Amino acid sequence: MCGIVGYIGSKSAVDILLDGLTNLEYRGYDSAGVAVNIDGQVELYKAEGKLQNLKDIVEAKKAHIEKSTIGIGHIRWATHGAPTTVNAHPHSCNCGKVAVVHNGIIENYKELRERLEKQGCVFRSQTDTETVAHLVASKYAQTKDLTEAVRLATQEIEGAYALCVIHQDVKDTIVATRRNAPLLVGIGENEYYIASDVPAIIQYTKKAMYLDDNQIVTLTPTSMKYIDENKNPLEPKVEILPWEPVALSKMGYKHFMLKEIHEQPDVVRNVLSGKLRAIDEAITLNEVTLDKDNLKNLNRIQVVACGTSLHAAMVGKYIIEQLCGIAVDVEPASEFIYRRTITDKNTLVIGVSQSGETADTITAVRQAKALGSHILIVTNRPDSTMAREADSLVPVNAGIEVSVAATKSYMAQVISFYLLALYMAEVKESAAKEDIQKLKHELIILPQKIEKVLSHKEDIQICARKFSGAKDFIFIARGINFPTALEGALKLKEISYINATGYTAGELKHGPIAMLDESMPVLSILMKGGVYEKILSNSEEAKARNARMIALTNSEDQKLKDLFENIMYVPEIDEMLSPALAIVPLQLLAYYIAEFLGKDVDQPRNLAKSVTVE
Ligand code: M6R
């Protein structure tokens, strides 16, 4: 949700900025821009639409722009103001000396803008960010100190921000700060990088420092000064980033999404590694600090998450309730935060988030923490805001996920819920030893089953081609695979823009069945187990209304061939673990439909990978 980059050193800045923005494009692609300082002049280059439009503008003036060794850049996911060039960042002030890039939302921008306009500031854009540029310019006019100007400006700002600022009169300096939006500084040899996220800098340096809220960093090519909001100097906490640049390559696949779907067998192995060693050994979750007493005193678990992470949490509910006998509520984080929530010290609150930066989920877990709950975070980013504020952590180890549509991180989250439930069941002694061992065994052999699905994709491709013209799609399932139906439908919606909905199969007859006719595909998720026969009956009901029936199943039942027009098979699997296998064909189905329709698979319209606004 917007990405910012900065560079200061002795190299030409513009290529570093554009590379950084390329690797942050998953955060938004409504417009892009850079600001550089050339011969003592701040110059802005901006373009609406994809980053390539900016790259074309820069290319045309490359010989001039590449002279700058300092610069800041931005990739936008529009919140305030349409995705036009004028609203693209960087923004500037009346005199054009200041350039600001911003990720977040300035909540009091209207009042600030009114006041600044009265003082003579002329606004060019409809954005909230432009207020910051004018504010910094006016503070700089008073103080002649850019760090102090940024500090004073942020004291008047309400809302969330990561900011990078340059000023024409201080030509060897970048000032950056943050509040409720991520920002890190990469450290090189006599050079510094700034970025919203690791992918922007990992090809240049692995040495970095994360900023905390309200901290301000002032960078020159040879120095880094780091203070808190009250001007107290701070010691930088430098870390080595645990990422490899190779994660940002498509490795021969046409899209990151396809590559990430194919990484899932290894993702499962990685998640299990070091946590599940053998079926007769206890699960180890080193960063979960709940002990036996904590777990005994828990009377409820509340899980908060958004989007795909919410669906993983819904699978988690079934597993934890089944194995641990604790009631689990799952709620979208965006709903949880705007009502009185009944959480306390006897409620474990679990936040699930691929990025660890989703604003709704951060707010939800912070509210719960203030009410005394233990906060456990399941995230793919142990370096994220959520992870750093957590009491307990389950790092899901899926590796960097570039495609906006989440696939391998969902798999990793679901597997993490099995581990967490098994861990709690072992501590609480709430499940039979044989059941625990059986599930552990199934988990260990799961990667081979996923590999089997990935090596037999023909049925899925046939189905994708056949149904790519559908306007609507219905996914039905029951029990532990209801979240699979929701996630399958979400994947299809996100990347193909086909209106897809997941229903519990039993609910179909209570209303949605009215929509069925010969133009409506209904995809039934029919995994063998307790609700198999029931879903079969619900599928018969849909077929009787002429719906076009598709099955996703692990059953060889011959009667399915009469009922379903297309069947996608997955290997035999225990019902309890089946969501981790059943999702794979649905990810591929969505992928092939979108690809067949010629959609922009990795960067679907209107979306951003990391949603850092509420
Ligand atoms: O980073 P998070 O898991 O917190 O993100 C939550 C959602 O924004 C995310 O899952 C979104 O729904 C994806 N586009 C799913 O493909």
Side-chain angles (χ1 to χ4, degrees):
M1 180 125 312
C2 296
I4 65 182
V5 292
Y7 173 77
I8 187 161
S10 55
K11 295 183 192 134
S12 169
V14 70
D15 283 339
I16 294 170
L17 298 178
L18 291 177
D19 276 355
L21 293 179
T22 304
N23 290 331
L24 291 185
E25 218 181 351
Y26 68 86
R27 297 178 74 89
Y29 24 84
D30 286 336
S31 66
V34 291
V36 286
N37 188 327
I38 299 169
D39 302 330
Q41 293 285 320
V42 165
E43 297 182 11
L44 310 184
Y45 297 89
K46 317 201 235 186
E48 76 178 64
K50 292 264 173 115
L51 180 59
Q52 189 56 46
N53 300 342
L54 174 70
K55 287 182 176 170
D56 293 343
I57 290 173
V58 167
E59 192 53 44
K61 295 188 171 176
K62 194 69 182 286
H64 172 68
I65 302 174
E66 68 187 3
K67 284 194 239 161
S68 181
T69 55
I70 172 175
I72 56 177
H74 188 268
I75 195 102
R76 180 167 188 243
W77 187 84
T79 57
H80 294 65
T84 56
T85 303
V86 81
N87 287 331
H89 301 214
H91 288 285
S92 193
C93 54
N94 284 12
C95 65
K97 289 185 172 186
V98 170
V100 172
V101 289
H102 166 221
N103 168 29
I105 288 182
I106 309 297
E107 283 167 7
N108 59 338
Y109 81 100
K110 281 196 180 131
E111 302 91 87
L112 289 173
R113 182 172 175 145
E114 248 175 65
R115 197 188 80 201
L116 289 159
E117 278 176 336
K118 279 189 195 138
Q119 291 167 4
C121 295
V122 179
F123 280 73
R124 296 176 188 89
S125 75
Q126 290 81 50
T127 64
D128 51 338
T129 306
E130 197 181 338
T131 54
V132 183
H134 290 287
L135 209 50
V136 170
S138 80
K139 302 293 178 196
Y140 184 81
Q142 292 157 21
T143 61
K144 299 290 176 219
D145 176 334
L146 188 56
T147 309
E148 183 60 359
V150 170
R151 193 185 75 86
L152 292 173
T154 54
Q155 287 183 348
E156 296 184 21
I157 292 172
E158 286 164 23
Y161 55 79
L163 293 168
C164 253
V165 183
I166 58 173
H167 194 294
Q168 189 162 295
D169 296 346
V170 205
K171 73 177 187 334
D172 276 344
T173 304
I174 298 181
V175 179
T177 184
R178 62 154 266 176
R179 188 193 296 156
N180 291 334
L183 200 62
L184 76 159
V185 178
I187 302 163
E189 285 295 320
N190 291 332
E191 60 183 3
Y192 293 95
Y193 305 82
I194 304 175
S196 299
D197 199 358
V198 174
I201 61 168
I202 193 68
Q203 57 185 314
Y204 301 108
T205 181
K206 288 184 124 195
K207 230 166 125 185
M209 180 194 82
Y210 284 90
L211 254 65
D212 282 332
D213 279 353
N214 304 317
Q215 295 175 341
I216 303 169
V217 68
T218 305
L219 303 170
T220 72
T222 51
S223 68
M224 170 165 82
K225 285 203 183 108
Y226 174 42
I227 57 168
D228 69 13
E229 61 197 302
N230 301 315
K231 301 205 243 187
N232 298 311
L234 299 167
E235 260 314 296
K237 286 178 267 161
V238 178
E239 307 176 19
I240 302 299
L241 299 170
W243 303 104
E244 293 303 328
V246 73
L248 302 173
S249 138
K250 288 188 195 145
M251 308 284 285
Y253 287 96
K254 188 167 179 196
H255 295 101
F256 278 108
M257 182 180 179
L258 193 59
K259 174 194 162 214
E260 287 160 4
I261 291 172
H262 280 81
E263 283 173 347
Q264 293 179 110
D266 282 338
V267 165
V268 176
R269 292 183 184 107
N270 282 347
V271 185
L272 299 182
S273 164
K275 300 178 189 122
L276 165 53
R277 276 176 296 271
I279 61 167
D280 51 0
E281 266 189 55
I283 300 283
T284 14
L285 295 177
N286 288 332
E287 290 158 271
V288 172
T289 58
L290 288 161
D291 61 20
K292 204 167 185 162
D293 287 339
N294 297 142
L295 283 172
K296 272 201 181 126
N297 291 332
L298 282 186
N299 49 26
R300 200 166 71 88
I301 295 177
Q302 172 73 59
V303 196
V304 287
C306 304
T308 288
S309 299
L310 182 71
H311 300 151
M314 291 169 77
V315 177
K317 169 186 164 77
Y318 283 89
I319 313 165
I320 296 173
E321 288 187 344
Q322 181 68 28
L323 291 177
C324 311
I326 307 175
V328 181
D329 293 320
V330 180
E331 192 170 358
S334 54
E335 288 298 308
F336 182 85
I337 56 187
Y338 294 113
R339 63 182 179 83
R340 181 180 168 201
T341 47
I342 316 298
T343 49
D344 58 20
K345 64 180 175 27
N346 294 325
T347 313
L348 168 65
V349 173
I350 303 180
V352 190
S353 172
Q354 186 286 128
S355 61
E357 299 294 348
T358 299
D360 290 320
T361 314
I362 292 178
T363 307
V365 292
R366 280 184 182 160
Q367 282 181 8
K369 191 165 186 157
L371 292 168
S373 300
H374 184 102
I375 306 298
L376 184 150
I377 297 295
V378 177
T379 183
N380 194 29
R381 298 300 301 267
D383 51 348
S384 63
T385 304
M386 265 183 242
R388 281 181 286 127
E389 294 181 12
D391 298 311
S392 285
L393 185 65
V394 180
V396 307
N397 302 339
I400 288 184
E401 189 175 60
V402 177
S403 179
V404 167
T407 53
K408 64 174 180 172
S409 63
Y410 175 77
M411 177 65 73
Q413 289 166 346
V414 167
I415 302 301
S416 298
F417 269 109
Y418 289 105
L419 292 175
L420 183 62
L422 284 166
Y423 169 84
M424 294 199 294
E426 284 177 336
V427 176
K428 275 172 62 82
E429 296 171 4
S430 55
K433 208 169 169 184
E434 312 77 75
D435 292 344
I436 289 184
Q437 293 200 344
K438 182 161 182 263
L439 188 54
K440 284 180 177 173
H441 172 71
E442 286 278 344
L443 279 166
I444 291 168
I445 60 172
L446 177 67
Q448 293 147 39
K449 296 185 182 181
I450 300 175
E451 272 157 2
K452 216 165 176 181
V453 174
L454 293 173
S455 59
H456 295 100
K457 297 189 279 278
E458 301 74 23
D459 291 344
I460 304 167
Q461 283 162 327
I462 291 169
C463 196
R465 189 165 277 258
K466 193 162 169 187
F467 291 95
S468 59
K471 295 250 170 313
D472 304 283
F473 234 98
I474 285 178
F475 290 69
I476 57 170
R478 281 178 181 237
I480 196 165
N481 275 302
F482 171 52
T484 313
L486 294 178
E487 178 58 12
L490 178 63
K491 284 290 90 74
L492 186 59
K493 272 187 281 218
E494 280 188 297
I495 60 170
S496 72
Y497 319 143
I498 293 172
N499 176 32
T501 312
Y503 292 105
T504 54
E507 273 294 298
L508 208 58
K509 58 186 176 294
H510 296 289
I513 203 166
M515 295 186 296
L516 302 191
D517 62 19
E518 52 290 329
S519 68
M520 179 70 86
V522 173
L523 191 153
S524 303
I525 302 170
L526 271 159
M527 293 296 131
K528 287 197 280 180
V531 285
Y532 176 85
E533 291 297 338
K534 291 283 173 211
I535 305 173
L536 205 54
S537 307
N538 300 137
S539 304
E540 297 274 9
E541 290 155 16
K543 167 100 171 168
R545 272 78 186 177
N546 296 324
R548 299 183 66 185
M549 302 303 296
I550 309 162
L552 169 61
T553 188
N554 57 353
S555 162
E556 295 294 334
D557 191 345
Q558 284 306 305
K559 63 176 180 281
L560 298 187
K561 295 206 165 121
D562 298 330
L563 178 51
F564 293 98
E565 191 177 327
N566 280 80
I567 303 181
M568 298 182 287
Y569 289 101
V570 294
E572 191 70 49
I573 190 156
D574 186 274
E575 188 182 21
M576 177 90 148
L577 198 65
S578 61
L581 190 59
I583 192 58
V584 180
L586 300 186
Q587 295 167 339
L588 286 167
L589 181 70
Y591 173 81
Y592 287 122
I593 289 180
E595 220 259 317
F596 185 69
L597 294 173
K599 303 294 185 204
D600 191 345
V601 172
D602 283 333
Q603 295 179 347
R605 69 184 183 203
N606 305 337
L607 294 180
K609 182 92 187 140
S610 184
V611 185
T612 53
V613 294
E614 279 176 18

